[in-house]
Structure formats: C-alpha cells, structure tokens
Amino acid sequence: MEPPTAEAVLQSVFTLYNNPNKQEKETASKWLEEFQKSIHSWEIADQLLQRKHDLNSCTFAAQTMRNKIQNSFHELPESAHESLRQSLLEHISHITLETKPVIVTQLSLALADLALLMSSWRKPVVTLLERFSGNPHMMYAVIELLTLIPEEINSRYLRLGANRRKDVLTELETDSSLVGDYLLMCLMNCNDNELLQMKILKCFTSWVNINAFNLSQIGDNMIIAYSFQLLTNINTKPEIHDAATDCLCGLLQCLEMNNNGDGLDVKLFNGILSLEEAYNASVAQEDLDKSMNLCRLFTVLVESNLVRMVAGSEAATPHYSIKALELVLICVGHYDFEVAEITFNMWYRLSEDLYQRNNEALTAHFKPYVERLIAALYKHCQMEADHEGLIEEGDSFKEFRFKVSEIIKDVIFIVSSISCFKQMFLILQSPNVTWESSEAALFIMENVARNILPEIMQLGERDIPASRFNQLCAESEVVPKVVEAILNLPSNCHIAIRYTSINILGELCDWIDSNPETLEPILNFLLCALQQKNGLATAAANALQSICSACKKHMLGHISGLMEIARCLDGFEIQTESAIGLLKGISIIIGRLPPDQLTTAMQELCGFQVRALGQLTSGEDDGLGLKKDRHDPVFWVDRLASIYRHVNPTVADNDVNPCVFVIVSNWSVLSRAMECYKNDPKIMERIVRCIRYAIRCVGKQAMPILESLVKQIITIYSGHNHSCLLYLGSILVDEFACEPSCIEGLLSMLQAFIEPTFQVLQVENGLKNHPDMVDDFFRLVARFIQRSPFQLLQSPLVTPIIQCGLLACTLDHRDANLSVMRFFCSLLSYGRHDRANELRSIVHGILMQHGESLIMNLLYASVFCLHSYMLSDVADVFVEIKHLSPHQLEGYVQKAVDALPKKNSGGSITVTNEQMIEFVDNIVKSETPRAVTQALQEFARLFR
C-alpha cells in the first residue's frame, strides 16, 4: 500500500467507530487491517500515541504497536530497537490511574514483549524500577509491566527460543528480591486502593508462577499473609478475593513442582485448613463466587500434595495431607453443583494414581472418601420435586450429570460397583422414598451397572477371606432384584424413573448375557417402551442395541421380533442416531444367521432404506411422510451404511459372501444417488461412507460393481473435487490392488485424480485451505505403495506426488500431516524390506534425488510449523531414512541445520554450534522413533 498519513489513519479509525454506514465501516476496517500489516504502521502508531487525539485512536495505536512487536519484530533493524524502547518508555511514563485500562494493557504488553525480545536491553526490570519506582503516580503502570514480563515469557507469538527464555528466567530470578521489595512497598503505600491491591497480588502471582522467588525465603512474606487475611475476611471484594485465591493456588502449584520451601508447604497447608470457617461463612451468605474460590483452593491443595499423599499412605497410617480431602468433600456437599464440579479433575487424578499402583491396602485408605463423594453426587443428581418430563438437552444440569457419570466410572473401582449398586438399592427400598431420590439412585446404578458382571467373575479369582467373599456374593444378588423391580414398574411412575431404568437394562447387557433367562421379559419390556413417547423410545432403542451387541448368541432366537421392530421403525418416536444404533444391533444379529437366512433378512432390512432412497433420487418422494428428515437422503443413507457396516458374517476363503447379492442389487440406487447429489459435498460424503462400508463388507467379491464405480467417481471428481472420493479410492486400492487384473485400472484412477487435486492444492494457501484433500490424497497414495509398490514407483506419477508431499510437510493439520508422513515412510520402507531387490534401487534413486529437500523441509516444519505432538510422525520418516542410508541422513541433517537462522529477531542467539552438533549427533545415533522425537522436540524449543 501507499505510505499512509497519520490523518488518513485517524479518519479511518473515526469511520470505524462512529460512521453509521455499515459498508463504509467495513471498508475502513479492511484498510486498517492492511495498514497494521505494513511497515509504515510502526512510525504512525508512535505518532498517534504522542498526539493523544482521542480514546479510539490511542487504543488503536497501542494495539498496533503491541501487534507489530509480537508478530513483525523482524521488520525492524537492530539499530532501531533502542529508539523504539525509548519511545515506549516515554509513552508509559504518561500513564495514570485515569488512563483507560485497554491502553495501559496494550502499551505494557508492547514494552514487556520488547524487553523479552530485545537481547541488547540488559536488566529491563532494573531499568523500570530505577526510572519509575520513585514516582508514586507510576505505581499502576510499573506493576502492570512487572506482571506482564513473566506472563509473556511463554507467549507462543514471541518465539523467544529456549536459550533466550533460559537467560531471561535466570535474570528474573536475580531481580525477584527487588520486585518483592517493590510490591511490599506498594502494598504499604497504596492507601487501600482496591485496584492497586488486586494488581499487586496478580503481579506477585505472575512471579510465583515462573518460580522466580526463592521459596525458602518467602514463607513470612507479607503478601502471602495478606492473601490469607483477604480470604478470611467475609467483606473482601470479589475481584480481590479472586486474586488472593490465584496467589495461593500459584504457590501450591509451584511447591508441587519444586518442593524446596523449607516449611512453606506446611505453613500453607495449615493456613488453608484454617479457611474452613471462611468457606462456611461464604455458604451461609450464599456468596457462590467465594465458595467456588475456596473450593478451588482446597482442590489445588490436594492436587499439590497428591503424589506425597498417595505414596505416603502405603503404610498402615495414611499421610497427614489426606485431611485436605475432608475440605474438598465439604465443598462437594455445597448446595450448588457447580462447586462440586470444580473438584472432579482432582478425583480423576487420585483414581488414576491408585489404579496404577493396584494396592488394595492403599486403596482402602481412600475408600471412605470416595463413598462420601458418591453419596454427595447422588444428592446433587436429584431433580426438583416438581420437575415434569425428562431433563432437556443442553440444560446445564444434564451436562453436570454427564460429568458425574464420567467421574463415577473413574473412581468406582475404589469402592466396588457391586457395593455401590447395593447401597443405591437400599435407598430405593427406604420407606417413603421420593421419586427424585429414587431416580437419582437409579442414575448412579446406571453408571456402575456395566462393571457388575466383571466384578462377580473376579470374586472367585481373588485371594480374599471367605466372609468377604460371601458378602460380595450376597451383594451381587441385588442385581436380579433390581431387574425384577424395573420390569414391574407401576404405570404411574415418573417418566424420569422409567427412562433411567431402561438405561440400566442397557448397561446390564453383559449380565443379561450371563443370565439368559431374563432376556425374554426384558425384551418385552423394551418393546413396550419402544412404543412410548417423550424420550422413552429412544432410550429403549439404545438399550436394545447394547443387548444385541452383548447377547448375540441368545438373540438369534428373537430375530423375527427384531425384524418386526425394523419394519415398524419409522412408527416409533426415536432420535435418528438411536434408530441407526438399533439397526446396528439388528444387523449384528443378522450377521450370525445361516447364509440363506442372512441374505433374505439383510435384503429386507436394506430394502426399507433403499426404496426410500430410490424414491428421493427419482423425485417420487410423496410417500415418505410429512417429517422433514424423511426427505433428506442422508437419513436413509446413514441407515443403510449402519447395516453394511455391522452385518459381518464369518465366511470361508472360497465361499460366496451372503451379503454380495444384496450389495450388488442395491448398487444402482447408490450410483444414482451419487449422480443426483454430486453438487452437495455433505451428502456425497455420507454416500461415499456407505459405499465404503459396502466394499469392506464383501471385499474382493464387490468386483461386479468395481468398474462402474471407478468410472463414476473419476467423472464426478473431475468436476467437483470431493475429497471423500479420494478416500473411497484408497479403499478400492486396499481391497483390489492385490488383484493383477485390477492394477492398471486403479493406476488410471490415481492418474485421473492427480490433475484436479494438484490444481486445487497448488494455488496460494491451497494446502492450508484443503487439509482434507491432502489427507485423503496421500492416504490413497500410501495405500497404493503398500499394495502395489512396483507399478506406482515405476510410473511417472511418483515424481509430482513426491514434490507435492515435500510442500505438504509444513502443513500443521494433524491428520493431513500424518498421511503425508505415512506416505514417505511407506515409500522409503521398500528400500530395505523388498526381498526381491526390485525396488531397492528405485527407492535409493528417489532418496538421492529428493532426500536433501525432504530432510530440509521436515526440519523446517518441525522447528517453525508443526505442533510438538506431531513430531513423532516426522520422526518415523527420519528413522526410515537412517535405516536406508545412515551416512546420507547425517549429511542431510547437517545441511538442514546449517540453513536455519542462528539468531532471532531480537538479536539473541537461537542455537549455538554446540547445540547444532549435539542435535545432529542425537539424530544419527538414535535407534528408535521415540529417541528421534525427543531430539526434534528439544531442538524445536530452541526456536520457539
């Protein structure tokens, strides 16, 4: 853009915030975005800050300055860094308590980021304190700066690099005593200004969070004592209460990572225990925010002591810190379930640790606490007594109950599912029990029901006292009583009780399989429920699916009833997903029928869906009913896909698959659907998914439809570029590329895909904007290499494919990048695994031609583009190259390392010669992908 003037920027800012014309606002917004990207914005933002024309222009200028430093610092030569620093310090010096917070924050962020980036600025904290600490009017600005400097150290925008970050942290540790003294002085001189008090606490916390303070020296720090004082005082304002809580939580987390506090941990532990009274006061005053803060503090107290608590409780006497669980349980008993929810992650962590240790004596110490947790959650899960119907989807209470389900499944092994089941059953048998109490007890039972059978089966395997064995066996006898009670529910019981009871039957599917005498009455009960409304039919469908999946052998005798259910499926009030699930259950049973019966049943089951889809594709859909979803092809295609996916007969190698006749018969309708809906990517994706399951169902016996299918997807792809067709192509390659008669046709299919694919991917941002296409294309190519490597690697297609793969190395989309890496691994593996020696020379030639570019791109991607968790996939490629040619790998890695920048935009050393030598050595010597991954991750941190 042309060099703009400050006046032009002011005019655009005014238009953006004040002009009522939407089109002109949009134009101004786009122009300002382009302005911020230009190199001219540095100088003009500085001018606008000096002018102080109005609030909006100052805010925009401060945001621009911060944005430029974070994202475009490389634009400035090192010679300009000092003048930028002086300018920002000058702007900061004009901040007062009256300055708008947004401007203070943006300017402070800009200066904090500059202090971290600008390696020539030594001791920025000392500079700030020397220049401003003597001015009481600058207290607010200095505290904000001192807060942001440690907070920004790990900013992903700055890319400081591990070396610079280490230097800065060392420097901040040295300066921490100065900061601590300054904050104490501010606290004593802030004249009860609540904003400053809150800022002081936040600043102290930010330095605690980077472990800058020597913990052994701050045990008596006045700010810590002040935090306790604030939390004890029932009149503390909410914002300061939050800051005090954050401060103590930060200290606890710091101690957890580095327990060298010389008694600070005990002081904090005892101090937090003493806050129980403050918590009770917050409950009495119905101050939910304070209750949640204190609950969070108690929870973090447990988490910070968790390792010591569990390890120290392996003796007869548990570790002293187990007392903190009492505080947490008090919070779980709070009247508002949001408070209890804060503790859930802590219970999960505790259960994980206990499960890994697998020590019954140790687990026994925590059993009473988990029993109390479940009792409290049972109460929280009770509906209101006047609640009618079921809990609606999206309701926060329903979401809470889902989280309760998850946490109960995590911790239930500590108390045993059987004893929990019995405890809830006793509640059901209590005299005058309310419906909401019964439903909540049933809900808890639902979440442990699936574990009942495994626990019963394990009873005889354990070396336990006979008395305990008899007790557990007696408890397990509760299950038949519960089932009997459910089957005899009175007709006038609350719908929520009936709904949860149906869910329990579904969860007891494994127990039902071991007790087949209960199957028929349960099926009759569920069949009645299928004919109900208001959610009961959906629950019954889900339960039936579970029972079909678990009780395959026993359900064969009920196939006629299941087929009748399928015929009446559209007459039931069932959610779409549950109907598909029910078809899954029926299909599983059909798959166990004798071949002749299987073909007939499958043809009938598919027929309901195929007829409707045929009507839609021919435009004759009047007979599909009034419901809108019946006129959506996806409704029928997904049902058909579920059948194809789950009818899995056992077929001998040379026998005809009984599903072939049905799939070939139905092909014409699916083919017509593809042609009919080729303009709609969502519908096409579902149709392709259905075809995929059909092909997988019968494998090579789908040969009768192969030729027409390939021709059709090539034609459609050339005009519509649906990436799902590439995925379908990979399925065809997987199933048919081992057949010599099919290879030429499949290779032609790949060639037909390449041109339209590359046209999309080679435009600007093509790879970034179409990750699904990258994913599906390279999955297709990788499958081709795995199934028919010789034909592909000898073809002229391989070179453009490799070049596209080299470009796609930097794509930071997990699935797409994984497919690219697997393609390279599959390709390179034939350089060492090909026993016939036919491909080794081809692969070695490819490595000679493209190896250097491949390693260069992989290393660049690892350092600058990919997330750390994605580097394990990159490591697999490094390992393949090492196995193929270790000497070439070393040379390629050395050249790639040499090409990386040695300094960052702030002038600090990114990577030293010693670190480069060490990295190359680590890569060359690593024998496993895990070792290479670790080397890549550590090296990438030097640049991030």
Side-chain angles (χ1 to χ4, degrees), residues 317-366:
T317 305
H319 192 265
Y320 76 88
S321 62
I322 204 169
K323 290 185 291 185
L325 287 174
E326 296 283 351
L327 290 177
V328 172
L329 284 168
I330 291 171
C331 298
V332 174
H334 192 279
Y335 59 83
D336 193 305
F337 63 76
E338 287 186 49
V339 179
E341 199 174 315
I342 292 169
T343 72
F344 283 4
N345 187 62
M346 181 277 294
W347 293 110
Y348 167 74
R349 284 185 58 188
L350 174 63
S351 68
E352 281 288 289
D353 202 341
L354 292 175
Y355 186 79
Q356 294 296 329
R357 291 173 186 268
N358 193 24
N359 182 328
E360 286 195 18
L362 170 63
T363 302
H365 287 309
F366 295 90

Side-chain angles (χ1 to χ4, degrees), residues 31 38 40 86 96 98 130 178 232 279 309 416 444 496 527 570 584 599 651 725 811 837 919 923 942:
W31 188 88
S38 76
H40 310 292
Q86 293 302 333
T96 66
E98 285 71 41
E130 286 178 348
L178 289 174
T232 305
Y279 171 80
M309 181 191 298
S416 98
I444 300 297
L527 183 58
D570 290 330
K584 168 189 171 180
T599 302
V651 182
L725 296 174
L811 188 59
N837 237 1
F919 170 68
I923 291 291
L942 298 173

